[in-house]
């Protein structure tokens, strides 16, 4: 896991990160020569900080589902390992637990414009995925009317290998850009195992405090995953040093490579009023 606070402070000391957002990197190939006749590619969606949030120890974002309505209570997406109550153990699933956690809402430039507050932890787990959804005391309409901030939309389809992505950290006010390098059949870290994790190309060298950042497809502007971990020192399947395990049980260690958990599975588990309903048809999130 990208250790929420201690790791972030260490990264600050080592990398000299400031509070201003870092310039986003651009890993796209150069444009085709002028002599080649080809239709122009669609421009990537502009990625800023609007809709992201800073937690006390992690990053996150205000998100909506395609079926969400303006007067539904808004949801904040982060990691299960970022919970204020501590990291859920293997097999533990938290549903509808009261919470008063606060979140600093950022605008496009990374300026904190409001403090939002949770009413409950709607869903959280570190089993199969590393995911937390907080339900806020504010609706989407209230957030937009008061602060002119729209929620980010969760995609309902699996991200594609090679897709351009941006990892947007509200904690550090920093954007990392890279691509989906591939997928880990199983990602094992300490006592936890995650399924079908997104592996980044090396340019997304995320640090502590980026846990919970939305991973945004730069072609669509939609959230396709939530940033959660990376192999820091080359260790094998230990905390802060996850390893990949393929379908045949072969273990691969990729030092310095970082990962995220897919979020397209969330939509099937959210019903009317943005309520998490694990009994809905097609819901595959782990259940208590």
């Amino acid at each position: 896991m990208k250790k929420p606070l201690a790791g972030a402070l260490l990264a600050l000391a080592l990398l000299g990160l400031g509070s201003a957002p870092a310039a986003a990197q651009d890993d796209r190939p150069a444009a085709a020569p002028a002599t080649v006749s080809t239709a122009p590619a669609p421009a990537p969606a502009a990625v800023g900080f609007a809709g992201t949030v800073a937690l006390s120890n992690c990053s996150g974002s205000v998100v909506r589902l395609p079926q969400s309505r303006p007067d539904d209570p808004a949801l904040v997406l982060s990691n299960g390992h970022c919970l204020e109550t501590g990291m859920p153990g293997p097999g533990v699933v938290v549903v509808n637990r009261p919470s008063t956690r606060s979140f600093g809402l950022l605008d496009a430039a990374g300026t904190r414009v409001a403090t939002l507050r949770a009413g409950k932890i709607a869903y959280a787990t570190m089993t199969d995925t590393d995911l937390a959804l907080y339900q806020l005391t504010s609706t989407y309409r209230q957030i937009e009317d008061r602060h002119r901030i729209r929620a980010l939309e969760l995609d309902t389809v699996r991200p594609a290998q090679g897709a351009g992505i941006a990892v947007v950290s509200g904690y550090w006010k920093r954007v990392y850009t890279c691509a989906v390098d591939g997928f880990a059949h199983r990602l094992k870290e300490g006592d936890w195992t995650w399924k079908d994790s997104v592996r980044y190309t090396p340019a997304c060298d995320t640090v502590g405090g980026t846990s919970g950042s939305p991973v945004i497809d730069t072609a669509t502007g939609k959230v396709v995953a939530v940033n959660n971990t990376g192999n820091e020192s080359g260790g094998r399947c230990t905390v802060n040093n996850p390893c990949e395990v393929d379908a045949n049980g072969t273990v691969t260690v990729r030092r310095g490579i970082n990962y995220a958990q897919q979020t397209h599975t969330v939509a099937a588990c959210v019903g009317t009023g943005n309520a998490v309903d694990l009994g809905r048809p097609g819901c595959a999130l782990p259940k208590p």
Side-chain angles (χ1 to χ4, degrees), residues 4-47:
L5 185 57
L9 294 176
L10 176 60
L12 180 60
L14 293 178
L15 302 178
L17 296 176
S19 59
Q25 302 169 45
D26 191 343
D27 296 323
R28 290 171 294 162
T35 55
V36 177
S37 177
T38 181
V47 177

Side-chain angles (χ1 to χ4, degrees), residues 86-159:
M87 296 188 292
V92 174
V93 176
V94 177
V95 180
N96 294 330
R97 178 182 294 174
S99 173
T100 58
R101 192 165 197 181
S102 61
F103 311 90
L105 177 66
L106 305 184
D107 67 10
T111 301
R112 181 170 177 150
V113 295
T115 298
L116 305 176
R117 193 165 298 279
K120 65 181 178 181
I121 302 167
Y123 182 86
T125 192
M126 289 179 65
T127 298
D128 295 349
T129 186
D130 186 2
L131 174 73
L133 283 173
Y134 287 87
Q135 188 178 95
L136 301 182
T137 57
S138 303
T139 66
Y140 296 114
R141 189 190 304 275
Q142 289 170 333
I143 293 171
E144 189 168 351
D145 287 350
R146 294 169 184 170
H147 313 297
R148 299 295 184 262
I149 303 293
R150 292 182 60 84
L152 302 175
E153 185 174 343
L154 289 182
D155 209 337
T156 58
V157 297
R158 191 174 188 269

